[in-house]
Amino acid sequence: AQTANDLMGINVEDGEVVWTYNLIQHHTGRMGKGANTNTPLCYNDEIFITSGYDHPGLMLSLAADGRSVSLKWSNSDFDTHIGGVVKVGDYVYGTTWINNGNGNWICADWNTGKTMYETPWLNKGSIISADGHLYCYEEKTGNLALVKPNPEKFEIVSSFKIEKGTGPHWAHPAIFDGKLFVRHGEYLAVYNLKN
């Protein structure tokens, strides 16, 4: 679970807070302190968390007994504001925060934290993955791209623009049963991902 200041491990059987890790200690910016808007990404005994606003991406290692965590690495480039992150293979993909209205797309090595690329594409946004593909939905103008997971470059296969709906494109896409759901304001589009 996550609060404004801490990430914590909770025993689901009795509610005991098993461990806490202070996230604010790594914050270097003036804005967004405690604005932890992304769900932590867990794989095996590791937890990746990123919060935007110049807050570095953090990889935490869970102790063998599950009673504590320790910092494995941090990456000051990987500061996803909103929109989540995904792990494909040995790499984690997301966006960066330049300011509230701008950001780039980023890939880092899951094991070392090394930034593989940081590149502009219209603006920051949401990311989701399925069946070996990334779906990147930029938040300002509503462009949606099918992207090949490639740690060497942001490789767009195809893209189009969500034309209907109003407001910023902040709703996170969802994938279920071979369908991609994209909401923009009160408009919901469903795309068939299977031929």
Side-chain angles (χ1 to χ4, degrees), residues 2-4 7 21 23 26-27 32 34-42 47-60 71 73-87 92-97 104 106 108 110 125 127:
Q2 190 171 297
T3 68
L7 183 67
Y21 187 88
L23 299 171
H26 299 285
H27 193 277
N36 298 317
T37 59
N38 295 298
T39 302
L41 183 59
C42 302
I47 305 163
F48 178 72
I49 187 162
T50 178
S51 303
Y53 301 106
D54 292 328
H55 188 287
L58 305 173
M59 179 65 77
L60 303 176
L71 181 66
W73 55 257
S74 69
N75 179 325
S76 60
D77 299 329
F78 212 127
D79 58 345
T80 300
H81 183 213
I82 57 174
V85 297
V86 295
K87 179 185 183 296
V92 59
Y93 298 86
T95 59
T96 66
W97 179 83
N104 294 322
I106 188 169
W110 178 269
I127 189 168

Side-chain angles (χ1 to χ4, degrees), residues 4 7-8 35 48 50-51 53 61 63 72 76 84 100-101 124 137 152 157 180 193:
L7 183 67
M8 60 185 69
F48 178 72
T50 178
S51 303
Y53 301 106
S61 295
K72 180 177 179 183
S76 60
N100 281 348
K124 61 188 173 68
Y137 183 38
E152 297 179 14
V157 176
L180 174 67
L193 300 178

Side-chain angles (χ1 to χ4, degrees), residues 105-128:
W105 297 81
I106 188 169
C107 171
D109 186 298
W110 178 269
N111 297 305
T112 67
K114 176 185 175 190
T115 298
M116 303 306 295
Y117 67 72
E118 180 183 346
T119 189
W121 176 65
L122 303 173
N123 198 15
K124 61 188 173 68
S126 296
I127 189 168
I128 194 168

